[in-house]
Amino acid sequence: MKAAFRKGLDRILGDATATIDTIEPGSIVVAPRKPIALDDEAAITEVLDLAARIGAVLLDSGTGAIDTRSQIEFVAGIFGLDDVEVDVTFNTILVSARRGPTLPPITTVRTVHYRSLDFTRLAHIDRLVRRIRQLAITPGTAHRIVDGITASPHPYPYWFATLSWGLMALGISILLGGTALVGTTSFLTTIVIVSLNRILARIGTPIFFQQVLGGFIAVLPAAGLYHWREELDIVFAPSQVIAAGIVVLLSGLSLVGSVQDAITGAPLTGTARFSEVVLMTGGILAGVGLAISLVEAMGVTLPGLSTTSPFGRADVISSLLGGAMAAGAFAAASYAERRAIPVALGAGMLATGVVTGLAYTAAGPIVASACASVVVGLVGGLAARRALVPPLVVAVAGIAPLLPGLAMYRGLYGVMSQQTIAGFRELATAITIGCSIAAGVTLGEFIARKLKRPHLPVSLVRGRATGTDAKYLGLTLPRRKPGRWNT
């Protein structure tokens, strides 16, 4: 009984093996390598370039500036460079190694030219950082591994990712209480949006205009079906289809990273990221607004705020299944590893369960979303301790069902239909929910990092081998099976 309890506790709290946990101040007790000679410019440059390349992949994947900086410093310190300065901004990484008062510093700069959603690449970089510490690989070998990671194609074909985006929209429509017709329409509409946006991306169209097109297309099928509902003898809520499309478009934005940067001490980077999120969200709203104006000019009137079905106490089982489907599909669409998809499914179901449960209390949507996101951040941090997936993957996928797509649509339509006060109230609610979600995830990850295994009574830990505890002191680490990249 005691052994089972101890084993279960270790499985839940882990052994603090998450990459970011090992980077906490003071965690490196003994450097595995001797310091690099200060006059060896080639060796220093090789290490700095490696650290900057690793940081570029992290920043490209949406990792916060503070966490990116910490991992860059960690990699440089592991290879013997302790006196380094790291500056991470919105799309630039600068790493400089000081060499004392008589030698000039050596500096390397790397620019992140694009943002991508390839969580497999992020997981491989996270695993590489562990291997750098545990297996004592050389900088040259680490460079070759990074080359393989960045040059490798996506793990899934494009058609599979497109299908996953459609399944995410289907999950959101189920979460909102939509019918089979609503789910099918959301699924097909999202596939069209993603396919057209991929074509626009290939010819270099700015993301803003891709968001405008996505918001525009999200309205047209819903408006058409609503207009012909009597002839087709169907009951149809267009807001659920439009909201599903908006959530899909919102899910790719770096909302968590922007708020996390602002909270953790990188206000400039956080402001730049948040400005990008606001601009991309404005593109979605612009596309939705243009489509609403077009269909109204054609004589199609969408239901007002009073007849739009708000998010409320839907069927619990359907809500849980819809939230899990949305989170898991988003992870698959973002090219997450196969073992990360079940974790994302669980995070989405857990977040939806918290929101659904709090819907039966006096807590409003803002408090409910914040509580759910704290749980998601905590789960992501604990999963990372077991080296399952990076916490960012769980966080971004887990909050996908919570994004306020319906509130955004209701607010915009209220403003355009002479219900200005109600519309601005909905828009303010949507913005507040988004910020509370991102802040909650940050708090959950912080709690996970600070959560340590409690000191158990002697009767529970008696009989444990003395060598078992020694490997967790930071002096030695267990060797793990190498990942997919050969060394």
Side-chain angles (χ1 to χ4, degrees):
M1 183 66 182
K2 295 177 182 178
F5 175 76
R6 182 171 65 245
K7 185 177 180 180
L9 191 65
D10 288 345
R11 284 184 177 275
I12 295 175
L13 295 183
D15 301 317
T17 57
T19 302
I20 194 62
D21 287 341
T22 64
I23 300 173
E24 292 294 333
S27 62
I28 305 177
V29 180
V30 178
R33 296 170 176 80
K34 64 180 180 180
I36 300 177
L38 297 180
D39 58 349
D40 192 346
E41 296 185 1
I44 294 176
T45 302
E46 184 181 32
V47 171
L48 292 183
D49 185 65
L50 172 64
R53 293 184 64 191
I54 290 176
V57 176
L58 295 172
L59 193 65
D60 167 71
S61 302
T63 304
I66 299 301
D67 288 347
T68 301
R69 184 182 67 188
S70 298
Q71 297 208 38
I72 292 174
E73 293 174 347
F74 177 77
V75 171
I78 282 294
F79 284 110
L81 291 178
D82 296 326
D83 195 5
V84 296
E85 288 289 341
V86 181
D87 185 22
V88 178
T89 59
F90 175 69
N91 62 346
T92 304
I93 296 175
L94 185 146
V95 189
S96 179
R98 290 190 292 264
R99 299 192 293 163
T102 59
L103 294 175
I106 297 178
T107 303
T108 184
V109 179
R110 187 164 290 271
T111 302
V112 178
H113 297 284
Y114 59 92
R115 293 287 192 270
S116 66
L117 284 175
D118 191 333
F119 287 150
T120 294
R121 184 177 300 163
L122 175 64
H124 283 310
I125 286 293
D126 183 82
R127 200 169 296 126
L128 172 62
V129 174
R130 290 190 179 95
R131 295 178 64 188
I132 287 175
R133 175 175 180 175
Q134 297 174 10
L135 302 181
I137 61 178
T138 64
T141 300
H143 268 288
R144 290 193 295 272
I145 295 175
V146 174
D147 290 338
I149 293 174
T150 55
S152 62
H154 294 308
Y156 312 129
Y158 284 133
W159 66 263
F160 181 83
T162 303
L163 182 65
S164 298
W165 286 118
L167 290 176
M168 179 184 175
L170 175 60
I172 295 297
S173 65
I174 295 174
L175 178 62
L176 296 177
T179 62
L181 179 61
V182 169
T184 304
T185 306
S186 301
F187 176 81
L188 297 177
T189 302
T190 301
I191 287 180
V192 173
I193 291 174
V194 173
S195 301
L196 292 178
N197 280 347
R198 184 170 285 126
I199 295 174
L200 293 179
R202 289 174 180 172
I203 62 176
T205 306
I207 300 179
F208 175 81
F209 298 107
Q210 298 178 34
Q211 298 288 83
V212 172
L213 178 63
F216 184 84
I217 297 176
V219 176
L220 299 182
L225 286 176
Y226 182 76
H227 179 68
W228 296 99
R229 67 189 184 281
E230 295 181 357
E231 289 79 359
L232 298 175
D233 192 21
I234 57 176
V235 178
F236 189 77
S239 61
Q240 295 170 340
V241 176
I242 299 173
I246 291 176
V247 170
V248 170
L249 294 171
L250 286 175
S251 60
L253 304 182
S254 57
L255 176 63
V256 174
S258 62
V259 176
Q260 185 180 37
D261 287 339
I263 292 176
T264 56
L268 294 179
T269 305
T271 301
R273 283 188 170 185
F274 191 75
S275 299
E276 182 185 48
V277 171
V278 171
L279 182 63
M280 297 301 103
T281 304
I284 299 172
L285 295 179
V288 172
L290 288 174
I292 292 176
S293 300
L294 176 63
V295 298
E296 287 184 347
M298 298 174 63
V300 179
T301 303
L302 295 175
L305 296 185
S306 59
T307 60
T308 302
S309 300
F311 177 78
R313 304 176 184 179
D315 181 70
V316 176
I317 302 300
S318 298
S319 298
L320 295 178
L321 292 178
M325 179 184 295
F330 174 78
S334 302
Y335 304 106
E337 293 180 308
R338 285 178 293 180
R339 66 177 178 178
I341 296 177
V343 181
L345 285 169
M349 181 177 293
L350 186 59
T352 306
V354 173
V355 173
T356 304
L358 291 178
Y360 291 91
T361 67
I366 298 175
V367 175
S369 300
C371 294
S373 59
V374 170
V375 174
V376 169
L378 180 61
V379 169
L382 296 180
R385 285 189 173 194
R386 304 305 304 177
L388 294 176
V389 291
L392 181 66
V393 178
V394 181
V396 177
I399 67 170
L402 308 179
L403 294 174
L406 185 57
M408 290 184 59
Y409 166 69
R410 285 167 56 82
L412 177 63
Y413 189 75
V415 172
M416 296 183 62
S417 60
Q418 308 303 319
Q419 302 181 55
T420 307
I421 297 178
F424 277 116
R425 186 187 302 117
E426 290 286 345
L427 288 175
T429 301
I431 295 173
T432 308
I433 289 176
C435 293
S436 67
I437 289 173
V441 168
T442 303
L443 178 60
E445 291 181 356
F446 175 79
I447 295 174
R449 293 177 188 177
K450 299 303 179 183
L451 185 63
K452 305 298 180 182
R453 290 186 298 173
H455 295 285
L456 301 179
V458 178
S459 59
L460 293 179
V461 297
R462 185 176 300 166
R464 180 176 293 185
T466 56
T468 304
D469 292 333
K471 70 178 182 180
Y472 299 119
L473 296 179
L475 297 174
T476 60
L477 288 172
R479 296 177 65 90
R480 296 182 181 273
K481 182 179 178 180
R484 63 179 289 189
W485 303 111
N486 296 324
T487 60

